[in-house]
Amino acid sequence: MKALILVGGYGTRLRPLTLTVPKPIVDFANKPMIIHQIEALKRAGCDEVVLAINYQPKVMMDFLKEWEQKLQIKITCSQETEPMGTAGPLRLASDILDDGSGDPFFVLNSDVICDFPLKEMLAFHKQKGAEGTILVTRVEDPSKYGVVVMDDSAHVERFVEKPKTFVGDKINAGIYVLNPAVLERIELRPTSIEKETFPLIVRDKGLYAFTLDGYWMDVGQPKDYLRGLGLHLESVRRRDPQSLAQGPTFIGNNIVHPSAKIGSDCQIGPDVSIGLECVIGDGVRISNSVLLHRVKVANYARIADSIVGWGSSLGKWTRVEFKSVIGEDVHVRPEVFLNGSIVLPHKEIKESIMDPGTIIM
């Protein structure tokens, strides 16, 4: 069985992290985002994953070669010479996706993190005799989204963009099961599967919706990345609690790489991810934050609701708070306060930055 992941473009919403690596290989809970998806696809029975890429394809494929060996799954690249939208990449990779077996294939947006109920979704798709199945998730305020309207048998009737009156509370979660016949509906040009392809399948009464029972988040921007981490760690607590950090240093759900070193009298958590070879000094406080690989945090620093990039360092008594995002190789001097700051890679910060949203270039 095959799958295609829509890797997309420049990852501008997750800058400055994506100035260092493409968005799908930014770590999420100490594992590249896209690897969470590929592992789930393998569990669902996929033996080949196609990455639809239009930005830094060599970087992506060089990185994923090692994971191809680790996961024992074939990973191939379909490179776009121009952005092809959300449907064009399927047609571009149609020779791989339609292997003549008639088997359906998966399509995933690379920003999505959830419990990935792919086996259950595939069984539902086959049981309904669907041409296409959309994963949908419930939201509290559907007026911000495109709502999927369905009948009692989960048959999709229509889509309503940002409804002003209530028509439903389920939205497209960015994961699909599609029959090869769908490829014939797509022209080889930049095109939208949501706006152009799905309405054709709805017209022919072939589109169904499978409702996600669990968490879901599009983690393509920092605030959602951090919120998604909390939801993911809560899910890990239910499924595999032993993989979370244990001991009096930790509050709530946290994940710490085995190579990380943490000093005395620290308070870590809740919802913290600490990466490879990080070094945390004494008396440090960290909550709802991510430290990517090789970050050094000196004594008595505080990090809250923020992301610290690869190889960066924070001096004694620093405070990094309120959705700050620090890029790769940034060095913050002692006693500096970063208040919602965005710091591009390879900088030294000597003075506090008090205005939220300030970008340090």
Side-chain angles (χ1 to χ4, degrees), residues 28 33-41 43-44 106 108-121 135 173-175 210 212-217 232 235 239:
F28 179 86
M33 287 187 202
I34 202 167
I35 298 303
H36 291 276
Q37 297 185 329
I38 294 174
E39 287 179 334
L41 288 165
R43 290 194 298 270
F106 288 102
L108 288 77
N109 287 316
S110 66
D111 291 350
V112 169
I113 198 80
C114 66
D115 278 331
F116 297 114
L118 302 183
K119 283 185 179 179
E120 296 85 349
M121 187 179 176
L135 186 70
I175 298 176
F210 180 80
L212 174 65
D213 189 16
Y215 84 98
W216 174 88
M217 184 58 64
H232 175 76
S235 176
R239 293 182 287 107

Side-chain angles (χ1 to χ4, degrees), residues 261-277:
K261 297 178 180 178
I262 299 176
S264 61
D265 300 319
C266 292
Q267 182 175 294
I268 310 294
D271 301 332
V272 170
S273 174
I274 297 176
L276 173 80
E277 296 178 1

Side-chain angles (χ1 to χ4, degrees), residues 11 24 35 54 107 149 178 198 207 212 216 259 312 342:
I35 298 303
N54 61 43
V107 178
V149 180
L178 304 175
F198 285 159
L207 194 64
L212 174 65
W216 174 88
S259 64
S312 292
I342 308 298

Side-chain angles (χ1 to χ4, degrees), residues 275-317:
L276 173 80
E277 296 178 1
C278 288
V279 178
I280 313 298
D282 298 335
V284 171
R285 300 290 186 265
I286 309 175
S287 61
N288 191 35
S289 294
V290 173
L291 277 59
L292 296 171
H293 301 338
R294 298 177 299 281
V295 171
K296 291 182 170 59
V297 183
N299 298 348
Y300 311 113
R302 172 175 167 77
I303 307 166
D305 306 303
S306 297
I307 304 171
V308 184
W310 308 267
S312 292
S313 65
L314 308 181
K316 287 184 178 181
W317 296 103

Side-chain angles (χ1 to χ4, degrees), residues 8-252:
Y10 298 103
T12 52
R13 295 184 302 159
L14 205 55
R15 285 179 179 168
L17 303 178
T18 50
L19 296 174
T20 298
V21 298
K23 178 177 57 180
I25 58 178
V26 173
D27 273 7
F28 179 86
N30 282 347
K31 189 184 295 181
M33 287 187 202
I34 202 167
I35 298 303
H36 291 276
Q37 297 185 329
I38 294 174
E39 287 179 334
L41 288 165
K42 180 168 183 181
R43 290 194 298 270
C46 288
D47 56 16
E48 182 172 1
V49 177
V50 182
L51 307 181
I53 300 173
N54 61 43
Y55 176 59
Q56 291 188 315
K58 186 176 187 306
V59 174
M60 283 287 297
M61 288 311 301
D62 287 350
F63 173 83
L64 287 167
K65 281 300 175 189
E66 79 173 88
W67 284 97
E68 191 174 44
Q69 294 297 319
K70 286 180 182 178
L71 301 178
Q72 293 294 294
I73 186 171
K74 187 177 181 181
I75 302 173
T76 55
C77 174
S78 176
Q79 185 175 355
E80 305 166 24
T81 55
E82 62 174 328
M84 294 289 284
T86 52
L90 278 68
R91 189 57 190 258
L92 194 63
S94 60
D95 288 348
I96 301 173
L97 298 174
D98 184 3
D99 60 5
S101 68
D103 289 341
F105 57 88
F106 288 102
V107 178
L108 288 77
N109 287 316
S110 66
D111 291 350
V112 169
I113 198 80
C114 66
D115 278 331
F116 297 114
L118 302 183
K119 283 185 179 179
E120 296 85 349
M121 187 179 176
L122 179 60
F124 171 90
H125 175 84
K126 291 178 177 179
Q127 183 260 323
K128 291 291 185 181
E131 182 176 345
T133 298
I134 304 176
L135 186 70
V136 296
T137 185
R138 292 182 178 88
V139 292
E140 291 182 3
D141 183 5
S143 67
K144 297 178 181 177
Y145 303 93
V147 173
V148 181
V149 180
M150 67 193 81
D151 65 17
D152 291 341
S153 66
H155 185 267
V156 176
E157 297 179 329
R158 60 194 170 108
F159 301 92
V160 181
E161 190 65 29
K162 296 181 180 178
K164 291 184 170 58
T165 58
F166 184 83
V167 294
D169 62 354
K170 298 183 181 72
I171 67 167
N172 182 346
I175 298 176
Y176 319 123
V177 182
L178 304 175
N179 289 351
V182 172
L183 298 170
E184 298 302 317
R185 298 180 181 271
I186 302 170
E187 297 178 15
L188 187 55
R189 61 177 176 83
T191 181
S192 165
I193 196 168
E194 299 86 359
K195 294 180 180 178
E196 298 182 61
T197 309
F198 285 159
L200 297 176
I201 306 174
V202 168
R203 182 194 65 192
D204 294 341
K205 304 187 184 306
L207 194 64
Y208 285 80
F210 180 80
T211 301
L212 174 65
D213 189 16
Y215 84 98
W216 174 88
M217 184 58 64
D218 177 333
V219 294
Q221 55 186 332
K223 67 181 180 65
D224 295 330
Y225 175 103
L226 290 171
R227 183 157 185 265
L229 176 67
L231 295 171
H232 175 76
L233 293 177
E234 180 59 35
S235 176
V236 172
R237 168 70 66 187
R238 293 192 298 271
R239 293 182 287 107
D240 183 21
Q242 293 306 310
S243 65
L244 297 177
Q246 312 289 328
T249 297
F250 301 99
I251 299 171

